[in-house]
């Protein structure tokens, strides 16, 4: 990001999306990230600065995968995952809500403005203070509140623009800049892995924009973006014929829905769960394509609903292939 002060090969990922909440509604309360706009005057965050193209789903691919009791090979692998996880010191799940919305809610009126934001071309006018910080309150998805430290307005924008940069893509330099002239403290609604939260935010008046840019002002620690889950150290490689669970999408009574990663030519894909007192290991088995089969290099993500013997409760959910911990609502990364 350029912040100035004015004194004046891989494999393509295809998401197979289904209405999980509707599919699970008959099973009881569904826990999944809340959606919906603001109705009380707060600003609702939108993903205008981060759009992921799900691609085109092949017509012969299922929209959900069947599930079944785990075969012995899966159960044996689950025991190895559980033992390795316990021996690792049991990495903790995030203690604070995980932010699924972008840091900023921005709606642009011209292509030049979009390019400037994506390139991190932001100027601060004298009406945007350098270090206005303090303490405010965040309302959690369950309705409770907690005090949170604030980032200053300029620090908040800097964080929102992490990863931005590059050229102006054909936009003339004088037009490739957003000038923020004023910052006021407000609140905004954001999506988290636990549901919708209301957080303090900075509302920026920007030259040329009728609508302000609103940026989350919560200091690190109380609300953070998801970090890619790490494979479990010391876990042996999975045998052939296993497919990973890349996310935990919903929990409904004794059922959980996970998203299975697989290739376009994998056959007989079936989801499984193996339960322990302290954790649940999930994933799928499949039959690999026959040797010599011509297959596109796609990595598909398809949900599978798995039945447990009892509600998940506080048990950790682990992927059978990598051993990574799956956190409810955090999308595949």
């Amino acid at each position: 990001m350029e912040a100035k002060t004015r004194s004046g090969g891989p494999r393509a990922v295809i998401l197979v999306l289904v209405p999980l909440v509707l599919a699970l509604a008959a099973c009881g309360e569904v826990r999944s990230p809340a959606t919906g706009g603001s109705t009380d005057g707060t600003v609702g965050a939108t993903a205008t600065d981060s759009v992921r193209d799900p691609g085109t789903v092949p017509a012969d691919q299922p929209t959900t995968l069947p599930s079944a009791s785990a075969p012995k090979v899966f159960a044996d692998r689950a025991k190895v995952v559980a033992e390795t996880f316990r021996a690792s010191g049991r990495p903790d799940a995030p203690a604070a809500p995980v932010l699924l919305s972008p840091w900023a809610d921005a709606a642009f009126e011209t292509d030049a403005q979009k390019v400037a934001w994506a390139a991190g071309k932001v100027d601060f006018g004298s009406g945007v203070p350098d270090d206005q910080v303090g303490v405010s309150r965040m309302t959690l998805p369950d309705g409770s509140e907690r005090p949170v430290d604030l980032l200053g307005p300029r620090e908040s924008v800097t964080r929102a623009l992490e990863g931005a940069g590059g050229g102006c893509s054909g936009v003339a330099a004088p037009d490739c800049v957003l000038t923020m002239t004023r910052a006021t403290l407000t609140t905004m609604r954001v999506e988290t892995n636990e549901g919708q939260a209301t957080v303090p935010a900075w509302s920026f008046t920007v030259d040329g924009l009728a609508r302000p840019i609103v940026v989350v002002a919560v200091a690190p620690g109380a609300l953070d973006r998801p970090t890619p889950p790490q494979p479990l150290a010391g876990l042996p490689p999975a045998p052939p014929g296993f497919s990973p669970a890349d996310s935990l999408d919903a929990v409904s009574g004794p059922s959980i829905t996970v998203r299975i990663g697989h290739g376009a030519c994998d056959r007989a894909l079936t989801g499984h769960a193996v339960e322990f007192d302290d954790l649940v290991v999930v994933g799928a088995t499949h039959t690999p394509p026959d040797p010599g089969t011509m297959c596109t290099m796609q990595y598909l993500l398809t949900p599978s609903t798995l039945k447990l013997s009892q509600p998940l409760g506080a048990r950790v959910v682990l992927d059978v292939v990598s051993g990574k911990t799956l956190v409810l609502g955090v999308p595949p990364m």
Side-chain angles (χ1 to χ4, degrees), residues 132-140 144-152 184-188 198-202 215-219 222:
Q132 184 176 337
V133 296
V135 177
S136 186
R137 302 192 70 81
M138 175 172 69
T139 303
L140 300 175
S144 63
E145 293 187 345
R146 76 167 55 157
V148 291
D149 292 328
L150 298 181
L151 283 180
T184 56
L185 195 60
T186 184
T187 61
M188 68 188 297
T198 301
V199 302
W202 292 107
V215 183
V216 174
V218 178

Side-chain angles (χ1 to χ4, degrees), residues 47-77:
T48 54
D49 59 347
S50 179
V51 178
R52 187 178 186 180
D53 182 1
T56 302
V57 178
D60 59 348
Q61 290 298 324
T63 55
T64 60
L65 298 181
S67 61
S69 298
K72 183 178 184 303
V73 64
F74 192 99
D76 289 344
R77 170 66 179 181

Side-chain angles (χ1 to χ4, degrees), residues 4 20-21 26 50 70 136 142 149 178 210 212 244 296 330:
K4 298 179 287 184
L20 295 174
V21 173
S50 179
S136 186
D142 63 4
D149 292 328
L178 293 172
T296 57
V330 175

Side-chain angles (χ1 to χ4, degrees), residues 5 12 53 64 72 88 92 97 114 121 155 177 206 208 247 251 300 317:
T5 301
D53 182 1
T64 60
K72 183 178 184 303
S88 71
D92 294 329
K114 294 177 185 178
K121 304 292 187 179
E155 288 180 291
V177 63
V206 182
S247 66
V251 176
L300 304 174
V317 180

Side-chain angles (χ1 to χ4, degrees), residues 21 24-32 194 250-256 311 328:
V21 173
L24 295 173
C27 301
E29 180 184 1
V30 175
R31 285 197 288 140
S32 58
E194 298 176 2
V251 176
S252 177
S255 298
I256 62 175
L328 178 63

Side-chain angles (χ1 to χ4, degrees), residues 102-203:
W103 289 117
D105 178 17
F108 302 109
E109 300 169 14
T110 68
D111 289 339
Q113 292 166 347
K114 294 177 185 178
V115 170
W117 180 259
K121 304 292 187 179
V122 174
D123 283 0
F124 295 117
S126 58
V128 180
D130 286 319
D131 55 0
Q132 184 176 337
V133 296
V135 177
S136 186
R137 302 192 70 81
M138 175 172 69
T139 303
L140 300 175
D142 63 4
S144 63
E145 293 187 345
R146 76 167 55 157
V148 291
D149 292 328
L150 298 181
L151 283 180
R154 300 189 186 206
E155 288 180 291
S156 298
V157 172
T158 298
R159 179 176 64 183
L161 290 174
E162 285 179 356
C168 286
S169 303
V171 176
D175 298 324
C176 190
V177 63
L178 293 172
T179 301
M180 295 181 164
T181 59
R182 186 167 178 263
T184 56
L185 195 60
T186 184
T187 61
M188 68 188 297
R189 286 185 173 183
V190 295
E191 300 300 333
T192 79
N193 63 310
E194 298 176 2
Q196 198 171 75
T198 301
V199 302
W202 292 107
S203 177

